Amino acid sequence: MGVWQLLMVATVMLLGLFGVLAPGVPGTWLVWAAMLWWSLHERTDLAWILLASSTGLLLLTQVIVWQLPARRFRGVGITRRMVAYAGVGALLGFVLVPVVGAIPGFVGGIYLAERLRLGGHGQARAATRTVMRAAGTSVLVELFACLLIVGAWAGAVLWG
C-alpha cells in the first residue's frame, strides 16, 4: 500500500474519531471501514487479524452502549468546547499513558472545560458527574474502542 493510501486510511480513521464525539456521525463505522479498506489492500495475516479483532471489539462496544442509559445531550450543558476538551484529553491520555490514559484524559477534559466555565472545583465536579451520567459514559466507551483500533493499526503500520 502506498503512502497516499495510508494517509487516506489515517484521515478516515481520524474523521471517525471526531465522528464519535459528534452526535449523529457514525464514527465507529468510519474507523471500521478504514480498517477494512487497509486490510483488503494489505492482505497479510496481521491485517486480517486486526480486521477481525476490530470487528469483534466494535460489536462488543455496540452491545455495551445499548446496555447503558440513553444519551441525553439537551439540558445537561454539553458544549462544543467541552466535547473538544474531552476528545483532546482522551487522545493525549492515550498517548502519554498508553491505552488506559484515555479514560482519565476524557474525564479530565470534561472537568477542565467545566472548571473554566464555572470557576469552582465543587461546581465543576458536579457538572462533570452530570455530563458523564447523561452521555459521557457511552461516548467514552465508543471513543476508547476506536482509539484502541487506531492505535493497533498505527502500530501495525509502523512496526509491521
Side-chain angles (χ1 to χ4, degrees):
M1 182 174 260
V3 174
W4 289 108
Q5 281 186 318
L6 285 174
L7 285 174
M8 290 300 292
V9 170
T11 302
V12 172
M13 285 189 175
L14 187 63
L15 287 174
L17 288 175
F18 288 132
V20 169
L21 297 172
V25 179
T28 55
W29 294 110
L30 285 172
V31 171
W32 181 81
M35 181 64 78
L36 176 68
W37 182 17
W38 176 75
S39 297
L40 289 174
H41 282 80
E42 280 296 310
R43 297 184 186 157
T44 62
D45 290 339
L46 178 62
W48 294 117
I49 289 170
L50 283 178
L51 178 63
S53 301
S54 63
T55 302
L57 180 61
L58 290 179
L59 288 174
L60 178 66
T61 300
Q62 291 303 313
V63 169
I64 292 171
V65 168
W66 288 333
Q67 298 299 317
L68 293 172
R71 294 180 186 177
R72 294 173 293 143
F73 289 104
R74 299 195 190 277
V76 179
I78 298 175
T79 62
R80 291 178 191 204
R81 179 180 294 186
M82 179 190 305
V83 171
Y85 277 47
V88 168
L91 184 62
L92 286 175
F94 188 82
V95 172
L96 295 175
V97 181
V99 181
V100 296
I103 296 168
F106 183 83
V107 177
I110 293 172
Y111 175 80
L112 179 62
E114 290 300 291
R115 180 76 188 245
L116 292 174
R117 184 174 70 94
L118 298 172
H121 168 71
Q123 295 170 334
R125 184 173 172 228
T128 301
R129 288 178 56 188
T130 302
V131 168
M132 286 303 292
R133 286 183 184 147
T137 306
S138 60
V139 172
L140 177 60
V141 168
E142 286 187 41
L143 183 62
F144 188 68
C146 288
L147 282 170
L148 283 174
I149 292 168
V150 171
W153 173 80
V157 169
L158 292 175
W159 292 293

